[in-house]
Amino acid sequence: MIIRRDFYIDGRWTAPAVAHDCPVIDPSTEEPCAVISLGGTADTDAAVAAAKRAFPAWAATPPAERRAAVVRILAQYEARVEDLARAMSTEMGSPIDHARTEQAPCLPWHLTNFLTAFDHIEWVKPLGPHAPDTMIAQEPIGVVGLITPWNWPMNQIALKVIPALLAGCTCVLKPSEESPLNAMIFAEFCHDAGLPPGVFNLVNGDGAGVGARLTTHEDVAMISFTGSTRAGKAITKAAAETLKRVTLELGGKGANVVFADADAKAVERGVRHMMDNSGQSCNAPSRMLVQRPFYDEAVKIAAEVASSIQVGSAHEAGDHIGPVVNKRQWEQIQGYIQKGIDEGARLVAGGPGLPEGFNRGFFVKPTVFADVVPGMTIEKEEIFGPVLAMIPFDTEEEALTMANDSPYGLTHYVQTQDGARANRMALGLKAGMIQMNGRSRGAGAFFGGMKLSGRAREGGVWGIEEFLESKAIGGWAL
């Protein structure tokens, strides 16, 4: 068992002010895999104070030197990628091959894209030819509190810490207490990369403790949070007292609109995307809207694909999905599956209970419901598990209305070989991200949504600019 009770504050590992042990549960075995400490007000205050002391010098560091420091973090990753993958596999249930190929590589992917964007930032630029002596300057906002989730832990650390460092901000990271080990390895990357003391700090804790203190701390200029919509609302209210900037990346209920002329792999692609990471992705295509002439065949394909997806321990190699993160999550997903049955949706794959052959671990059967009616619980609410809802539609206009009839607006998907229709749908769908025909967004595009999905713009130049203040200067000497 791993014992990591210390926090990374002011360039060194330090014991918590008050010891409060917290077990980290391996969701494949339901047994503790580590023990950490949860921080409190004193630990958070110490981390913020360290970041505040470090801020003036780090903000004044030439951009090229900040860039070089981030490149050194990448070198640390390359030396220890296996440690990072194994940590995430154990603590949050990503199968080891998935952790190696999908979870851990989020760090170099985002880091290199941020470096590309960083190289094109103009820190002081003219407003325009009509006002030659007016300049727009960009400068770091200050000390930032970064609160990250357990489902794609290194992805969110990379999307927050790296742009903050490049912008010239100093950081206090609070990772999820469900998946803290990868964050502690990342802190080692920062230390071994030679970041100055206080530039990056890590305090483990829960939302009610460390998270709440960061959110209300008067010396924290900004909170960047990824997690539930409920928690995002609470953070916004708490942060209002100090008028700090708040960026939120929250839940989703993505619609995957499959027209009758979709390519042959569209349904399979959608089901596999839904089940990836055991359905624990805020951008999962959890509602599959299928045009009626193709609907019956699509249901058959979806059921066959879901039934073919294997479930297994995160410690085993192979192309399977692992457990969900904890017992509470497992019970919540089971409740949604039962709700789907009770409300009259047609179960065509999976269902309640543990998969065959399992008597422990938080494993969920890949589940597909057909004939879901708009308004059903499984159609409206984010389940955050491997559960797909399939709904028929007739016309393009109906599909657009159904897809947009959600309080969320993170990612929607379109499958059609009619280019003009695809583009119309992309412009009409109310979400921060649209992906069509299996093609993802290009390198450097942001991740972020609308409505109850929050309005963060993480990634590329937008992700760096979230940590910058703009200043208009008149009378610039020419």
Side-chain angles (χ1 to χ4, degrees), residues 145 147 156 160 215 222-239 244-251 282 409-410 447-458 466-467:
I147 304 174
Q156 294 307 127
K160 297 182 192 298
T215 300
M222 172 183 168
I223 291 288
S224 178
F225 170 78
T226 299
S228 71
T229 297
R230 174 194 54 77
K233 290 179 179 180
I235 286 171
T236 301
K237 292 176 183 176
K244 54 173 53 69
R245 182 183 296 176
V246 177
T247 62
L248 304 172
E249 198 280 286
L250 308 175
C282 51
L410 189 58
F447 188 103
M450 304 176 179
K451 302 191 284 185
L452 293 189
S453 294
R455 289 175 171 80
R457 292 292 179 266
E458 297 186 322
E466 286 200 327
F467 294 94

Side-chain angles (χ1 to χ4, degrees), residues 420-469:
R421 177 164 59 193
N423 292 346
R424 287 194 303 270
M425 289 292 295
L427 294 175
L429 288 166
K430 301 302 181 186
M433 299 173 287
I434 310 296
Q435 294 182 197
M436 300 190 289
N437 298 319
R439 298 186 65 180
S440 187
R441 305 174 315 285
F446 62 76
F447 188 103
M450 304 176 179
K451 302 191 284 185
L452 293 189
S453 294
R455 289 175 171 80
R457 292 292 179 266
E458 297 186 322
V461 67
W462 298 270
I464 299 173
E465 288 177 346
E466 286 200 327
F467 294 94
L468 297 173
E469 295 274 32

Side-chain angles (χ1 to χ4, degrees), residues 186-401:
F186 179 83
E188 293 170 355
F189 293 174
C190 291
H191 180 84
D192 294 344
L195 287 185
V199 170
F200 172 83
N201 306 273
L202 179 147
V203 180
N204 284 314
D206 58 20
V210 176
R213 181 58 179 154
L214 278 176
T215 300
T216 57
H217 202 297
E218 62 183 7
D219 290 332
V220 174
M222 172 183 168
I223 291 288
S224 178
F225 170 78
T226 299
S228 71
T229 297
R230 174 194 54 77
K233 290 179 179 180
I235 286 171
T236 301
K237 292 176 183 176
E241 190 66 29
T242 51
L243 294 178
K244 54 173 53 69
R245 182 183 296 176
V246 177
T247 62
L248 304 172
E249 198 280 286
L250 308 175
K253 192 68 178 176
N256 186 6
V257 183
V258 181
F259 287 92
D261 69 341
D263 68 86
K265 293 291 185 180
V267 173
E268 178 181 355
R269 185 169 62 237
V271 174
R272 294 193 183 280
H273 189 175
M274 177 63 238
M275 305 304 171
D276 183 53
N277 207 42
S278 299
Q280 299 171 123
S281 301
C282 51
N283 64 338
S286 54
R287 294 181 293 153
M288 184 179 285
L289 282 54
V290 184
Q291 198 166 28
R292 203 172 298 274
F294 182 48
Y295 179 73
D296 289 341
E297 183 179 352
V299 169
K300 180 181 178 182
I301 295 170
E304 291 173 349
V305 172
S307 299
S308 74
I309 294 173
Q310 299 297 306
V311 179
S313 169
H315 304 291
E316 296 175 358
D319 184 18
H320 57 272
I321 65 172
V324 297
V325 71
N326 57 31
K327 184 176 182 180
R328 180 185 59 80
Q329 190 74 10
W330 186 88
E331 290 176 343
Q332 180 172 291
I333 294 165
Q334 296 302 310
Y336 276 115
I337 292 172
Q338 189 59 51
K339 196 79 168 177
I341 294 170
D342 294 344
E343 292 184 359
R346 178 162 56 102
L347 182 66
V348 297
L354 289 168
E356 185 177 352
F358 290 88
N359 59 14
R360 66 185 311 183
F362 307 124
F363 298 96
V364 178
K365 300 172 187 175
T367 297
V368 177
F369 283 100
D371 304 346
V372 175
V373 176
M376 284 184 176
T377 303
I378 59 171
E379 187 269 341
K380 299 298 280 187
E381 298 184 14
E382 184 179 37
I383 298 173
F384 225 62
V387 181
L388 175 66
M390 300 187 70
I391 309 162
F393 72 88
D394 291 301
T395 66
E396 179 181 327
E397 293 73 21
E398 182 186 11
L400 192 62
T401 299

